[in-house]
Amino acid sequence: MTHTRYTDPSGYDNATVSTAADQVRVVDRAMRLPVFASIVATPSATLPVAGTVHNTNTLLGHKGFVGVKTGSHDAAGGCFAFRAIRWIDGKRTTITGVVLGQPGHDRIAAGLAAADAMVDRITGQRAVPDLQQRTPPPGTAPRSHRPRLHARQRGGVNAITTRGEKP
């Protein structure tokens, strides 16, 4: 993560900077932790004092999306780090990606829409969302069962990785 500098835990400090490719690395590692994967897959939670809070990831539970994190900032635009699970050509495929800098009045919605379109472009008509979770959650299969299908894209504001797993 040579293009990332964290200066605060929230990401609101203008000196905190990163790239989509670096953030894909963070998401890929974090989603290997079952507790983290469970938290980011939660559509809502009831908290003391605050009551029920809802996840701003409206794609969660739809079209194979299982997380991860929305965000927006004047300087960064709409951002979304995501993971989706789709079946492509009979193989369960885990798609991890990040979109940054999405413009618009509702930047979170713009980030979600960009990620949704990216996953649809990658998978094409051959893809079926994994809505039944027919195999163990991402990160729980042995590495030997998670070969890379193609490499992460570098540069720009979008980055993606995919992994196919044996059926």
Side-chain angles (χ1 to χ4, degrees), residues 23-114:
Q23 291 305 299
V24 164
R25 287 180 181 95
V26 170
V27 171
D28 191 49
R29 294 288 178 151
M31 289 298 282
R32 295 177 191 180
L33 303 170
V35 170
F36 181 85
S38 174
I39 290 168
V40 299
T42 303
S44 65
T46 302
L47 304 174
V49 182
T52 301
V53 293
H54 298 278
N55 194 325
T56 58
N57 175 2
T58 57
L59 290 174
L60 190 61
H62 302 282
K63 298 175 71 174
F65 282 86
V66 296
V68 171
K69 175 77 176 87
T70 61
S72 69
H73 184 273
D74 289 342
C79 305
F80 183 39
F82 62 90
R83 177 157 283 175
I85 301 169
R86 301 268 184 108
W87 286 86
I88 303 174
D89 295 334
K91 292 182 182 173
R92 182 177 184 267
T93 304
T94 300
I95 303 163
T96 303
V98 171
V99 295
L100 303 174
Q102 301 305 305
H105 174 69
D106 186 344
R107 291 183 295 241
I108 290 177
L112 292 164

